[in-house]
Amino acid sequence: MKNKIVLGLIAITLLLSTPLNVYAVGSASINFKSEDTVTVGNNIKVYMSIEEVEDANNGIVGVGGKLIFDNEKLEFVEANLVDAPYDFWFNPKSNKLAGLDFTFENAINKDTKIYEFTFKAIATGTTTITLEEAELSDSKPSILNSNVYGKEIVILERINAEDNKNDIKEVAVKKEEIKQKQEITNKEKLEKMNDVVHGLLKKLSNLL
């Protein structure tokens, strides 16, 4: 078992250090998806998937790269595997991730959701989460052309609870003012109608 792990780590090291000029026989995409917006103080989940696998020899058996995000706007919380078909590792200190199919029997051949990353929004603005130094390899082994699609997220300002209370109070005051003005207007109209009616009655009484 220990020998297997050592061999796996050696294979991952070779994967991450392989020159980019290796002949590429296929391609695949690394796609990040999440909600478009998040409010400061709240968490957001971002999903990393491998998609659009084409012309890979028996599928993708190796994955490597470095997760990139703005730590002034987002605070990393945790990383969890979703539907990964083989072993994956993520190092939160270096933000590097790697995956390797030790058996070469569980290769990725279809759209597969690998990771669920959770971040806490800590500052307003627009930020992007993506993967740099991305490398995908098949069983030949060959390095595939990797298309990485990062996710842009808009971080909104948090609305203070006290501000909400003040806004609600202000709306209530305005409604009361409008109600009072309407009551005054209705009273004035009623008084004018009474004056008109009294005037007509007085004229009628004079005629009689």
Side-chain angles (χ1 to χ4, degrees):
M1 182 64 181
K2 288 184 178 179
N3 290 336
K4 187 177 180 181
I5 294 174
V6 171
L7 289 173
L9 294 175
I10 293 173
I12 292 170
T13 302
L14 291 173
L15 170 65
L16 295 177
S17 60
T18 304
L20 291 177
N21 59 0
V22 174
Y23 178 66
V25 296
S27 64
S29 299
I30 297 174
N31 201 357
F32 288 86
K33 298 177 181 178
S34 73
E35 296 292 332
D36 294 328
T37 61
V38 63
T39 303
V40 170
N42 290 343
N43 287 353
I44 185 169
K45 295 185 183 297
V46 181
Y47 296 91
M48 188 192 88
S49 301
I50 294 177
E51 303 175 355
E52 302 173 333
V53 181
E54 294 183 3
D55 301 324
N57 289 296
N58 299 319
I60 297 172
V61 298
V63 181
K66 182 177 182 179
L67 187 69
I68 300 297
F69 62 94
D70 185 351
N71 55 20
E72 292 185 356
K73 290 185 172 64
L74 294 173
E75 177 184 317
F76 174 78
V77 177
E78 63 179 356
N80 293 304
L81 292 173
V82 184
D83 297 321
Y86 45 81
D87 293 326
F88 272 81
W89 299 267
F90 177 72
N91 185 343
K93 292 182 179 180
S94 63
N95 291 332
K96 288 188 176 182
L97 62 86
L100 181 66
D101 180 7
F102 293 105
T103 65
F104 279 47
E105 296 177 354
N106 303 305
I108 298 173
N109 287 291
K110 61 181 181 180
D111 293 0
T112 304
K113 189 178 291 184
I114 304 296
Y115 268 110
E116 176 193 77
F117 296 104
T118 303
F119 297 92
K120 181 179 180 180
I122 56 177
T124 59
T126 301
T127 189
T128 300
I129 297 173
T130 188
L131 193 73
E132 287 188 354
E133 305 170 12
E135 290 189 6
L136 303 174
S137 64
D138 59 22
S139 60
K140 194 171 182 177
S142 298
I143 301 298
L144 281 65
N145 287 320
S146 304
N147 304 308
V148 181
Y149 300 100
K151 175 60 184 180
E152 185 177 86
I153 299 171
V154 177
I155 304 174
L156 305 174
E157 184 177 359
R158 184 175 183 176
I159 300 175
N160 188 285
E162 192 62 34
D163 291 341
N164 278 342
K165 290 180 181 179
N166 292 335
D167 290 342
I168 293 172
K169 185 177 180 181
E170 185 177 346
V171 170
V173 170
K174 287 183 178 179
K175 284 184 177 180
E176 184 62 28
E177 290 177 350
I178 292 172
K179 181 181 178 181
Q180 290 178 357
K181 287 181 180 179
Q182 188 65 43
E183 289 177 351
I184 293 172
T185 301
N186 291 338
K187 184 178 180 181
E188 291 175 345
K189 287 182 179 179
L190 183 60
E191 289 176 349
K192 287 182 179 179
M193 289 180 65
N194 287 334
D195 290 342
V196 170
V197 171
H198 290 155
L200 289 173
L201 290 174
K202 187 175 181 180
K203 288 181 179 179
L204 285 172
S205 62
N206 290 336
L207 288 174
L208 296 173

